[in-house]
Amino acid sequence: MSRSDSSLIPFLAHAVHSIRTSPPRIIASPPTQQRRAAVALVLRVVPPPDYPLNEASSQPTSLQDFFELDWVNAPGARPELLYLRRQKDSHSANGVANGKPILGTHNRSKDSHVAFPGGRMEDGDEDGLYTAMRQTWEEIGLDLAERSFTCIGQLDDREITTSLGKRLLMVLSPFVFLQLVPHTQPTDPPPETTLHWTPLSTLMATKPAWSTVTVDISSRLAPKGSFLRNLVQLLVGTMQFDAIVLNETKDARMGSRSGPNGMAKKREGSNFVKFEVPNEKYDPSNARVWRRGLKDDEEQLRLWGLTLGMTMDLMSHLKMPFQPSGLASPDGFIGGEMAVMAASMTSVFPRFSYPDVNFWIWVFGKRYRQIIRGWEESLSAGSNDRRINWTGSALQAFYAAVRKALVVVIVLRALGILAVLGFSGWWLFYRP
């Protein structure tokens, strides 16, 4: 169950105030890796389709004035968050397509992994904010420097590492923008990029549509097409990441499974995503709507990995108050307040397809579990100690456990194979 879209406006106002008054956790680039990147999280409020708008109305002079506007508080007004889908080139290497880094993607014909507009910082960029604005303009033609947008703040920096978290690739800075007018300016994304405005009610649903994204870990550890790659895949299996399906399909709605916090993830609800046609003034009646029951040839929009983590950082500011995972009532309300987003930090960490690999990760993951408990206790107490990089610490601890687990599993597999071969040789040649 989730509230109506217009009832989320007070939560959005609270989030804007929280982001503006909460200093982000800045991660300094180490001397050995100076590469940085920035992305833009763009929010807007869409008035009801039949709401009479005055084209000549003046822009609000402050955020407080914005949230007092009639069209913002009109019944049916809908707050939305912008994602984009980049079509991955089948011939691209190192996870890069269209000049943009694609981190943690998995190429399936009917799976589309969403991201935020942005990219790497260049030498001439003044700071991360400039990078986010420049990259958004270059990539999709949305000018965040216009008076119709305002930057409300920055979320915590995030470290982007290699697949097993052993080497830092870059530091990523997310910046949050709010559109102050009811109409979005025309955009001009390339043909392989599509824009998807997602209602916050979809992300705040207590029972979103969950699925998984499977990543072949052998592709990160061995050359493509080699025997070693096939051997690694056979020995350790694949990684499976939790993902929120932003546009439900028939397959996604069937059944339920356990979520990252142990609660049932029922694949039902009213999730939908608006696909906005580029180079047109936004009009709710002209938007293509992705609804439940997609056709077989349409793609699922999946929110997972790094983008899911940044989305969770944003949604955490909508807490009124935050409730730890597992405490939400079936209706999603606690003491008259809404439980924000069913996902937790653990949602961005993968499981493996082989149970014994997950077992050994648990054996070596004591430090990781301690960090998660500390993060949950900090949030439940309302303190959220910003001196601690919870996400980075959890990332390092989790993948340290993964590396140890993989070594143990591969050694045990090798010993088992040798034992079977030895016994088979004895049975064939030396058995009395």
Side-chain angles (χ1 to χ4, degrees):
M1 176 178 178
S2 62
R3 287 184 178 178
S4 63
D5 293 298
S6 57
S7 67
L8 299 181
I9 298 300
F11 289 85
L12 179 60
H14 179 274
V16 168
H17 175 75
S18 176
I19 294 172
R20 289 184 69 88
T21 57
S22 301
R25 182 183 300 108
I26 304 299
I27 300 177
S29 298
T32 56
Q33 181 54 277
Q34 295 290 320
R35 187 176 299 170
R36 301 185 71 91
V39 296
L41 284 68
V42 185
L43 293 161
R44 74 178 183 185
V45 176
V46 178
D50 56 350
Y51 190 84
L53 292 172
N54 183 5
E55 295 289 345
S57 60
S58 60
Q59 290 186 234
T61 58
S62 67
L63 289 173
Q64 182 178 354
D65 292 340
F66 171 78
F67 286 105
E68 293 177 355
L69 293 173
D70 292 339
W71 63 267
V72 174
N73 294 281
R78 181 175 57 251
E80 296 178 341
L81 176 63
L82 175 63
Y83 293 102
L84 57 82
R85 178 185 68 87
R86 302 183 182 107
Q87 182 65 42
K88 183 178 179 181
D89 184 357
S90 59
H91 300 289
S92 63
N94 300 322
V96 175
N98 310 320
K100 300 291 180 182
I102 299 180
L103 303 168
T105 57
H106 175 63
N107 190 19
R108 292 178 56 187
S109 59
K110 294 187 179 180
D111 290 346
S112 293
H113 309 303
V114 297
F116 294 116
R120 293 173 181 170
M121 181 180 291
E122 297 180 357
D123 292 339
D125 292 350
E126 300 174 0
D127 50 25
L129 176 60
Y130 183 90
T131 299
M133 298 171 68
R134 176 184 58 79
Q135 290 280 7
T136 301
W137 166 251
E138 293 177 356
E139 184 169 17
I140 63 175
L142 188 64
D143 190 358
L144 299 176
E146 289 286 342
R147 294 180 59 249
S148 55
F149 291 92
T150 183
C151 179
I152 60 177
Q154 178 183 349
L155 303 178
D156 291 346
D157 283 351
R158 283 182 166 265
E159 295 175 321
I160 301 177
T161 65
T162 53
S163 300
L164 297 181
K166 195 172 184 179
R167 182 169 61 90
L168 177 67
L169 297 177
M170 66 180 69
V171 176
L172 179 65
S173 300
F175 293 87
V176 183
F177 294 83
L178 177 66
Q179 180 178 294
L180 301 176
V181 294
H183 295 299
T184 302
Q185 61 183 249
T187 57
D188 187 24
E192 62 274 10
T193 300
T194 54
L195 310 185
H196 301 271
W197 289 96
T198 302
L200 293 188
S201 57
T202 299
L203 301 172
M204 296 181 72
T206 54
K207 296 176 182 177
W210 284 94
S211 183
T212 57
V213 171
T214 301
V215 176
D216 183 8
I217 185 62
S218 66
S219 64
R220 318 295 177 90
L221 302 177
K224 183 178 181 181
S226 65
F227 170 77
L228 180 60
R229 180 170 178 173
N230 295 330
L231 179 62
V232 171
Q233 185 178 25
L234 178 65
L235 292 177
V236 302
T238 58
M239 293 190 298
Q240 297 176 339
F241 290 82
D242 283 307
I244 294 179
V245 180
L246 298 181
N247 55 328
E248 287 186 288
T249 65
K250 178 176 62 176
D251 294 336
R253 296 196 313 277
M254 295 177 61
S256 62
R257 67 181 181 84
S258 176
N261 57 9
M263 300 175 64
K265 293 179 179 176
K266 296 185 178 179
R267 302 168 190 255
E268 56 186 15
S270 58
N271 296 358
F272 67 97
V273 176
K274 301 182 73 63
F275 169 77
E276 184 165 331
V277 181
N279 296 322
E280 290 187 8
K281 185 176 181 180
Y282 176 76
D283 184 342
S285 62
N286 292 335
R288 177 182 176 186
V289 179
W290 301 68
R291 293 187 183 276
R292 294 183 298 171
L294 293 173
K295 297 179 180 179
D296 292 338
D297 59 347
E298 290 182 339
E299 297 175 319
Q300 285 187 353
L301 296 176
R302 299 197 180 197
L303 173 63
W304 68 288
L306 180 64
T307 307
L308 174 59
M310 290 186 289
T311 301
M312 289 165 48
D313 288 347
L314 171 66
M315 302 301 288
S316 67
H317 288 277
L318 279 82
K319 63 184 184 300
M320 296 178 73
F322 174 85
Q323 298 293 339
S325 59
L327 296 184
S329 66
D331 292 335
F333 295 93
I334 302 177
E337 299 294 350
M338 178 183 292
V340 179
M341 206 170 188
S344 69
M345 187 193 295
T346 57
S347 302
V348 302
F349 295 101
R351 299 177 304 279
F352 280 74
S353 55
Y354 290 160
D356 60 331
V357 178
N358 295 322
F359 168 75
W360 286 109
I361 292 176
W362 179 85
V363 170
F364 294 113
K366 180 179 179 181
R367 174 58 181 162
Y368 163 74
R369 295 192 296 275
Q370 290 176 340
I371 294 172
I372 294 298
R373 284 196 297 268
W375 171 74
E376 291 180 341
E377 292 172 357
S378 175
L379 287 178
S380 62
S383 59
N384 190 13
D385 191 346
R386 308 192 66 81
R387 296 170 299 178
I388 303 175
N389 182 4
W390 295 107
T391 303
S393 299
L395 183 75
Q396 294 177 4
F398 178 81
Y399 283 108
V402 169
R403 292 193 294 269
K404 295 177 183 178
L406 291 181
V407 170
V408 171
V409 167
I410 291 175
V411 169
L412 292 179
R413 297 265 201 279
L415 292 177
I417 293 173
L418 292 176
V420 170
L421 292 176
F423 179 78
S424 300
W426 172 83
W427 180 267
L428 293 175
F429 301 106
Y430 299 103
R431 184 169 60 94

